[in-house]
């Protein structure tokens, strides 16, 4: 788990995940909460759900990046590099 966490906290992985979360999260927020935002119907519970909506693409991007980095590392080890 330590290796996974180190990779997940790598600057490049974090930057990529943040960009993905902002772009994909904005689209998802628009789809899921757009009507309420336009009405001004934003309470604490909705704000919490909006934050969760941003976390999902962040988590998916981070998990995917770490998996790709680990796979590439294992491939180099198999080739003896």
């Amino acid at each position: 788990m330590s290796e996974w966490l180190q990779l997940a906290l790598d600057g490049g992985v974090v930057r990529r995940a943040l960009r993905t979360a902002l772009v994909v999260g904005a689209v998802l927020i628009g789809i899921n909460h757009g009507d309420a935002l336009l009405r001004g119907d934003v309470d604490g519970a909705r704000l919490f759900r909006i934050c969760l909506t941003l976390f999902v693409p962040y988590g998916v991007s981070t998990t995917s990046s770490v998996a790709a980095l680990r796979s590439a590392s294992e491939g180099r080890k198999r080739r003896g590099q």
Side-chain angles (χ1 to χ4, degrees):
M1 181 65 173
S2 171
E3 175 198 7
W4 193 98
L5 194 55
Q6 276 185 311
L7 289 170
L9 295 176
D10 177 75
V13 171
V14 170
R15 281 189 298 278
R16 186 177 303 108
L18 284 173
R19 280 193 307 266
T20 301
L22 288 176
V23 172
V24 175
V27 171
L28 291 173
I29 288 168
I31 292 168
N32 295 323
H33 304 282
D35 58 336
L37 291 173
L38 290 174
R39 286 192 315 268
D41 181 20
V42 180
D43 59 3
R46 185 171 303 277
L47 196 56
F48 178 71
R49 291 193 310 267
I50 287 172
C51 290
L52 285 179
T53 300
L54 290 169
F55 178 74
V56 170
Y58 183 90
V60 169
S61 177
T62 299
T63 302
S64 177
S65 292
V66 169
L69 289 170
R70 291 178 79 179
S71 178
S73 175
E74 290 171 9
R76 282 192 299 272
K77 287 177 187 175
R78 281 191 297 255
R79 290 189 305 269
Q81 298 174 341

